[in-house]
Amino acid sequence: MIRLNDITKYYTNKFVKTFVLRRINLEVKEGEFITIMGPSGAGKSTLLYILGMLDTASEGEYYFMDEPAHQLKEKERTQQYHLIDEMTVYENIETPLLYKKVKSSERKGMVADMLDRFNIVAKKGLFPSQLSGGQQQLTAVARALIIRPRLLLADEPTGNLNSKQGKEIMDLLKKLNEEEGMTILQVTHSEEKAAYGHRIIHLKDGWIEN
Ligand code: ADP
Ligand code: MG
């Protein structure tokens, strides 16, 4: 599904290059569940941004489904969607279905199922600013999962949740991976959550350490 060849990312400031990722080589097969760990500033989020095509590498090649993603132009890449402040929880979760042109009758049931599954039925009419950090995170995860993506890139998906909610989300990811073959790359600082993955990639100072 994913192949990175010598991916390097640096920022240039006054002719000084600061390296964030260094010669990253990585292969991810469809159906894998991978954990990325490493100290703050190691380059974990940058790596996920590049994999999600929200950002581009400075050097190297990125093949996604055998297509050269490193050759995509800005407009062809992904755009990031935070929760939209002016939309309710319900509308935020429904948005990906509108892009996918899912019929109105089907949308209702799908959103209701997600609200139910994430225990946020009572919050469906509220706006993100009226939610706790944990409820915002649940809403964001529900929105990401409602279209059943083949690849899920999750940067500390349970970072704002309490341990019970966190475990529920991790169990859900595990289920989606096992039963539907969803490929998952998660960043986490927790050993317990890391153990949900099949293998761990350790990043440090932009290098893969394993
Ligand atoms: P992590 O997610 O592992 O904490 P990040 O990928 O967010 O690390 O950041 C890695 C490094 O890249 C950090 O040192 C950060 O300061 C640097 N960095 C990120 N974005 C920029 C930028 N736009 N300009 C300069 N440095 C950046
Ligand atoms: Mg980060």
Side-chain angles (χ1 to χ4, degrees), residues 97 102-111:
L97 302 179
V102 177
K103 278 190 237 126
S104 158
S105 51
E106 274 176 64
R107 289 202 305 267
K108 264 194 170 166
M110 291 170 81
V111 176

PDB file of all heavy atoms in Angstrom, residues 97 102-111:
ATOM      1  N   LEU A  97     -19.869  12.130   4.177  1.00  0.00           N
ATOM      2  CA  LEU A  97     -20.870  11.409   3.384  1.00  0.00           C
ATOM      3  C   LEU A  97     -21.397  12.292   2.255  1.00  0.00           C
ATOM      4  O   LEU A  97     -21.755  11.802   1.179  1.00  0.00           O
ATOM      5  CB  LEU A  97     -22.031  10.939   4.268  1.00  0.00           C
ATOM      6  CG  LEU A  97     -21.659  10.033   5.432  1.00  0.00           C
ATOM      7  CD1 LEU A  97     -22.906   9.680   6.236  1.00  0.00           C
ATOM      8  CD2 LEU A  97     -20.973   8.767   4.941  1.00  0.00           C
ATOM      9  N   VAL A 102     -23.343  10.187  -0.651  1.00  0.00           N
ATOM     10  CA  VAL A 102     -24.206   9.146  -0.090  1.00  0.00           C
ATOM     11  C   VAL A 102     -25.621   9.715   0.027  1.00  0.00           C
ATOM     12  O   VAL A 102     -25.800  10.865   0.425  1.00  0.00           O
ATOM     13  CB  VAL A 102     -23.695   8.710   1.310  1.00  0.00           C
ATOM     14  CG1 VAL A 102     -24.630   7.687   1.936  1.00  0.00           C
ATOM     15  CG2 VAL A 102     -22.275   8.151   1.210  1.00  0.00           C
ATOM     16  N   LYS A 103     -26.589   8.888  -0.315  1.00  0.00           N
ATOM     17  CA  LYS A 103     -27.997   9.348  -0.321  1.00  0.00           C
ATOM     18  C   LYS A 103     -28.463   9.762   1.073  1.00  0.00           C
ATOM     19  O   LYS A 103     -28.064   9.165   2.069  1.00  0.00           O
ATOM     20  CB  LYS A 103     -28.915   8.236  -0.839  1.00  0.00           C
ATOM     21  CG  LYS A 103     -28.963   8.156  -2.343  1.00  0.00           C
ATOM     22  CD  LYS A 103     -30.085   7.206  -2.761  1.00  0.00           C
ATOM     23  CE  LYS A 103     -29.570   6.091  -3.611  1.00  0.00           C
ATOM     24  NZ  LYS A 103     -29.843   4.751  -3.217  1.00  0.00           N
ATOM     25  N   SER A 104     -29.338  10.744   1.099  1.00  0.00           N
ATOM     26  CA  SER A 104     -29.820  11.310   2.350  1.00  0.00           C
ATOM     27  C   SER A 104     -30.387  10.239   3.285  1.00  0.00           C
ATOM     28  O   SER A 104     -30.119  10.237   4.490  1.00  0.00           O
ATOM     29  CB  SER A 104     -30.861  12.372   2.023  1.00  0.00           C
ATOM     30  OG  SER A 104     -31.683  12.594   3.120  1.00  0.00           O
ATOM     31  N   SER A 105     -31.172   9.313   2.727  1.00  0.00           N
ATOM     32  CA  SER A 105     -31.808   8.284   3.552  1.00  0.00           C
ATOM     33  C   SER A 105     -30.759   7.390   4.221  1.00  0.00           C
ATOM     34  O   SER A 105     -30.905   7.005   5.372  1.00  0.00           O
ATOM     35  CB  SER A 105     -32.728   7.431   2.683  1.00  0.00           C
ATOM     36  OG  SER A 105     -32.030   6.981   1.545  1.00  0.00           O
ATOM     37  N   GLU A 106     -29.680   7.106   3.507  1.00  0.00           N
ATOM     38  CA  GLU A 106     -28.617   6.265   4.078  1.00  0.00           C
ATOM     39  C   GLU A 106     -27.793   7.040   5.097  1.00  0.00           C
ATOM     40  O   GLU A 106     -27.335   6.479   6.089  1.00  0.00           O
ATOM     41  CB  GLU A 106     -27.666   5.795   2.960  1.00  0.00           C
ATOM     42  CG  GLU A 106     -28.098   4.543   2.248  1.00  0.00           C
ATOM     43  CD  GLU A 106     -27.134   4.225   1.110  1.00  0.00           C
ATOM     44  OE1 GLU A 106     -25.962   3.958   1.407  1.00  0.00           O
ATOM     45  OE2 GLU A 106     -27.570   4.277  -0.051  1.00  0.00           O
ATOM     46  N   ARG A 107     -27.615   8.332   4.805  1.00  0.00           N
ATOM     47  CA  ARG A 107     -26.767   9.160   5.678  1.00  0.00           C
ATOM     48  C   ARG A 107     -27.293   9.165   7.106  1.00  0.00           C
ATOM     49  O   ARG A 107     -26.535   9.009   8.048  1.00  0.00           O
ATOM     50  CB  ARG A 107     -26.713  10.605   5.156  1.00  0.00           C
ATOM     51  CG  ARG A 107     -25.917  10.770   3.885  1.00  0.00           C
ATOM     52  CD  ARG A 107     -25.450  12.214   3.723  1.00  0.00           C
ATOM     53  NE  ARG A 107     -26.511  13.196   3.782  1.00  0.00           N
ATOM     54  CZ  ARG A 107     -27.170  13.674   2.726  1.00  0.00           C
ATOM     55  NH1 ARG A 107     -26.896  13.223   1.528  1.00  0.00           N
ATOM     56  NH2 ARG A 107     -28.103  14.592   2.886  1.00  0.00           N
ATOM     57  N   LYS A 108     -28.599   9.342   7.252  1.00  0.00           N
ATOM     58  CA  LYS A 108     -29.214   9.419   8.581  1.00  0.00           C
ATOM     59  C   LYS A 108     -28.826   8.246   9.454  1.00  0.00           C
ATOM     60  O   LYS A 108     -28.404   8.401  10.593  1.00  0.00           O
ATOM     61  CB  LYS A 108     -30.734   9.458   8.444  1.00  0.00           C
ATOM     62  CG  LYS A 108     -31.318  10.842   8.474  1.00  0.00           C
ATOM     63  CD  LYS A 108     -32.837  10.766   8.676  1.00  0.00           C
ATOM     64  CE  LYS A 108     -33.402  12.123   8.959  1.00  0.00           C
ATOM     65  NZ  LYS A 108     -34.867  12.124   8.818  1.00  0.00           N
ATOM     66  N   GLY A 109     -29.002   7.057   8.914  1.00  0.00           N
ATOM     67  CA  GLY A 109     -28.707   5.845   9.660  1.00  0.00           C
ATOM     68  C   GLY A 109     -27.235   5.727  10.006  1.00  0.00           C
ATOM     69  O   GLY A 109     -26.875   5.303  11.110  1.00  0.00           O
ATOM     70  N   MET A 110     -26.383   6.110   9.049  1.00  0.00           N
ATOM     71  CA  MET A 110     -24.938   5.997   9.272  1.00  0.00           C
ATOM     72  C   MET A 110     -24.474   6.953  10.362  1.00  0.00           C
ATOM     73  O   MET A 110     -23.667   6.592  11.222  1.00  0.00           O
ATOM     74  CB  MET A 110     -24.178   6.261   7.960  1.00  0.00           C
ATOM     75  CG  MET A 110     -24.362   5.164   6.926  1.00  0.00           C
ATOM     76  SD  MET A 110     -23.699   5.638   5.298  1.00  0.00           S
ATOM     77  CE  MET A 110     -21.962   5.305   5.554  1.00  0.00           C
ATOM     78  N   VAL A 111     -25.005   8.183  10.346  1.00  0.00           N
ATOM     79  CA  VAL A 111     -24.610   9.155  11.370  1.00  0.00           C
ATOM     80  C   VAL A 111     -25.148   8.705  12.733  1.00  0.00           C
ATOM     81  O   VAL A 111     -24.428   8.737  13.735  1.00  0.00           O
ATOM     82  CB  VAL A 111     -25.097  10.586  11.027  1.00  0.00           C
ATOM     83  CG1 VAL A 111     -24.759  11.555  12.151  1.00  0.00           C
ATOM     84  CG2 VAL A 111     -24.484  11.058   9.709  1.00  0.00           C
TER      85      VAL A 111
END
